[in-house]
C-alpha cells in the first residue's frame, strides 16, 4: 500500500490524484484533517496520528512540511522517520530541495531530513525538487500592478537567474517513482529507486529580465527590469507585513542566493524521469499573468 502525506497541499494533491488513476495499486491519502474515511489523519506535529496512519503502508510518499521555524520542521520530520520505522514502512520517498538550493536557509531541514532518513532501516528515495515556477510567478504577479503603471519590474535578483520547474512535472516524477517502487515491492524486489537521490531542477532559468519580458507580453506595454539591493528588499518586507519572521529570513535568502548567481542549475535528472517534455515555465508565466490582468 502507498500512502501520500499532505494531500490537501498542491504537490501532495497532484501526486495522490496521479497515483489513484493507476491500475492495480492500493493508494491511501494522508492529511492533517483526515478522519479515516476518505483520508487517514497524518499530522507530523501529532505523532499519535502517525502510529495509526502508517499502519500497513509499504511505500510512503513523504511531502516535506516546511512552513515553520527549522526546529519545528526538524521535529516534524524526525517524528515521521520514527513512526515509519515503528510501522515497518519498507520504502520512503521524500520530497526535498534541489542541489542548487544548498546555500539557501531552507536547505538545512531538508539536508537534515535526508541524513535522518538515510540512517533509518527502510529504503529511501530522495526527490530533490527544484524551485517551483510559481515562485517567480508570485514575484511577477505581485509586481504586475505597479509594472503596469511605471513600466518597471523591480526585484533583488541582480543578473542572477533561478532554474525553475513546474510543480506538475515534479508530481509526475513522484507518481512514477512511487508506482514503480510499489510494483517492485509487490513483486518481491527492492525498489529500483532505492538509495537514489534525484536532482529535479528545471531546464529553464528565469531572472529579472525574463520576468520583465513576460510582464511586457502579458500587460501589452513595455516593462523594463531594475535590480534592487538586499537592504531595500529587507526594508520593504519589514514594512509590508504579512510574512512570519521565518518567512522573511527565507525570502531574503532566496534573493541573496539568486543575486549571487547560485540558483542556476547545471545538472538535472528531470528528463530521465519525466514521462513527457517538461512544461515550459515561460508559458505558465505569461498565460497566468494575462489571465490575472484580464487579457485574452
Ligand atoms: N520547491 C519549491 O519551490 C517549494 C516551494 C514551497 C514549498 N516547498 C516545500 O514543498 C512542500 C509541498 O509543497 P506544496 O506546494 O504542496 O505546498 P502547500 O500547497 O502549501 O502544502 C503544504 C503542505 O504541508 C503539509 N503540512 C503542513 N504541516 C503539516 C503537518 N504538521 N503534518 C503533515 N503535513 C503538514 C500540508 O499537508 P495537509 O494540509 O494535507 O495536512 C501540505 O501538504 C511544502 O510543504 C514545502 O515544504 C517547496
Amino acid at each position: 500500500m502507498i500512502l501520500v502525506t499532505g494531500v490537501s497541499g498542491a504537490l501532495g494533491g497532484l501526486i495522490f490524484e496521479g497515483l489513484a488513476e493507476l491500475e492495480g495499486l492500493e493508494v491511501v491519502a494522508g492529511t492533517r484533517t483526515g478522519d479515516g474515511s476518505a483520508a487517514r489523519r497524518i499530522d507530523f506535529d501529532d505523532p499519535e496520528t502517525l502510529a495509526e496512519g502508517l499502519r500497513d503502508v509499504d511505500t510512503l510518499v513523504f511531502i516535506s512540511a516546511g512552513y515553520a521555524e527549522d526546529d519545528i520542521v526538524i521535529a516534524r520530520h524526525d517524528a515521521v522517520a520514527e513512526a515509519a520505522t515503528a510501522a515497518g514502512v519498507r520504502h520512503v520517498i521524500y520530497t526535498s530541495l534541489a542541489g542548487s538550493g544548498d546555500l539557501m536557509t531552507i536547505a538545512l531541514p531538508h539536508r537534515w531530513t535526508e541524513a535522518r532518513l538515510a540512517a533509518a532501516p527502510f529504503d529511501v528515495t530522495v526527490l530533490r525538487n527544484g524551485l517551483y515556477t510559481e515562485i517567480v510567478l508570485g514575484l511577477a504577479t505581485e509586481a504586475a500592478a505597479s509594472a503596469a503603471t511605471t513600466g518597471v519590474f523591480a526585484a533583488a535578483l541582480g543578473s542572477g537567474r533561478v532554474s525553475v520547474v513546474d510543480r506538475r512535472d515534479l508530481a509526475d516524477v513522484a507518481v512514477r517513482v512511487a508506482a514503480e517502487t510499489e510494483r517492485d515491492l509487490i513483486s518481491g524486489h527492492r525498489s529500483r529507486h532505492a538509495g537514489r537521490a534525484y536532482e529535479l531542477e528545471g531546464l529553464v532559468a528565469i531572472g529579472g529580465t525574463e520576468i520583465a519580458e513576460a510582464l511586457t507580453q502579458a500587460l501589452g506595454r513595455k516593462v523594463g527590469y531594475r535590480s534592487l539591493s538586499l537592504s531595500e528588499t529587507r526594508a520593504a518586507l519589514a514594512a509590508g507585513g504579512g510574512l512570519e519572521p521565518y518567512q522573511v529570513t527565507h525570502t531574503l535568502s532566496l534573493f541573496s542566493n539568486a543575486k549571487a548567481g547560485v540558483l542556476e542549475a547545471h545538472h538535472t535528472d528531470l528528463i530521465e524521469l519525466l514521462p513527457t517534455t517538461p512544461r515550459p515555465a515561460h508559458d505558465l508565466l505569461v498565460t497566468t499573468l494575462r489571465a490575472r490582468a484580464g487579457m485574452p
Side-chain angles (χ1 to χ4, degrees):
M1 178 199 294
I2 304 176
L3 184 135
V4 183
T5 73
V7 296
S8 70
L11 183 66
L14 288 170
I15 296 171
F16 177 71
E17 280 167 24
L19 284 167
E21 281 172 10
L22 301 179
E23 300 272 318
L25 294 175
E26 191 182 355
V27 188
V28 175
T31 182
R32 283 169 293 176
T33 53
D35 64 1
S37 51
R40 291 187 181 185
R41 181 153 177 253
I42 296 277
D43 184 345
F44 303 165
D45 293 322
D46 181 355
E48 278 182 23
T49 67
L50 302 179
E52 178 61 18
L54 297 184
R55 201 171 18 91
D56 300 328
V57 171
D58 299 299
T59 302
L60 175 65
V61 181
F62 171 12
I63 308 291
S64 64
Y67 296 107
E69 296 283 3
D70 289 348
D71 54 353
I72 293 177
V73 178
I74 285 174
R76 284 176 178 167
H77 291 186
D78 189 38
V80 176
E82 191 73 33
T85 302
V89 171
R90 296 166 69 191
H91 193 113
V92 172
I93 298 163
Y94 173 63
T95 62
S96 188
L97 173 71
S100 64
D102 264 340
L103 301 176
M104 291 171 67
T105 48
I106 56 169
L108 173 73
H110 283 297
R111 299 296 174 253
W112 185 93
T113 305
E114 290 180 13
R116 174 69 178 86
L117 295 173
F122 41 74
D123 280 326
V124 179
T125 306
V126 179
L127 302 179
R128 287 182 147 202
N129 288 348
L131 293 172
Y132 300 156
T133 306
E134 283 80 356
I135 289 181
V136 290
L137 179 58
L139 284 178
T141 307
E142 269 174 40
S146 126
T149 318
T150 63
V152 175
F153 166 69
L157 294 165
S159 56
R161 300 193 308 160
V162 184
S163 293
V164 289
V165 57
D166 197 300
R167 204 196 262 111
R168 293 166 295 179
D169 288 343
L170 296 170
D172 287 347
V173 170
V175 167
R176 174 178 173 179
V177 169
E180 288 178 354
T181 291
E182 182 70 1
R183 291 201 166 108
D184 286 344
L185 294 179
I186 290 168
S187 63
H189 301 101
R190 257 184 110 199
S191 167
R192 70 197 81 175
H193 301 291
R196 303 292 303 272
Y198 296 118
E199 293 289 347
L200 303 174
E201 309 260 19
L203 284 105
V204 173
I206 291 185
T209 306
E210 288 79 12
I211 296 175
E213 276 166 12
L215 282 164
T216 299
Q217 283 184 40
L219 299 173
R221 69 155 292 177
K222 175 72 189 152
V223 175
Y225 166 57
R226 181 167 70 84
S227 180
L228 296 175
S229 68
L230 287 174
S231 55
E232 281 174 295
T233 304
R234 187 184 294 277
L237 290 175
L243 290 183
E244 298 288 339
Y246 74 85
Q247 290 177 309
V248 173
T249 303
H250 293 328
T251 304
L252 278 167
S253 167
L254 175 92
F255 285 121
S256 185
N257 275 260
K259 264 199 137 173
V262 297
L263 293 184
E264 196 163 344
H266 301 291
H267 163 75
T268 182
D269 298 313
L270 189 68
I271 296 298
E272 186 196 322
L273 288 160
L274 193 62
T276 52
T277 319
R279 293 168 174 91
H282 182 263
D283 289 6
L284 179 67
L285 220 57
V286 174
T287 49
T288 311
L289 286 170
R290 270 182 188 276
R292 291 191 184 159
M295 290 184 62

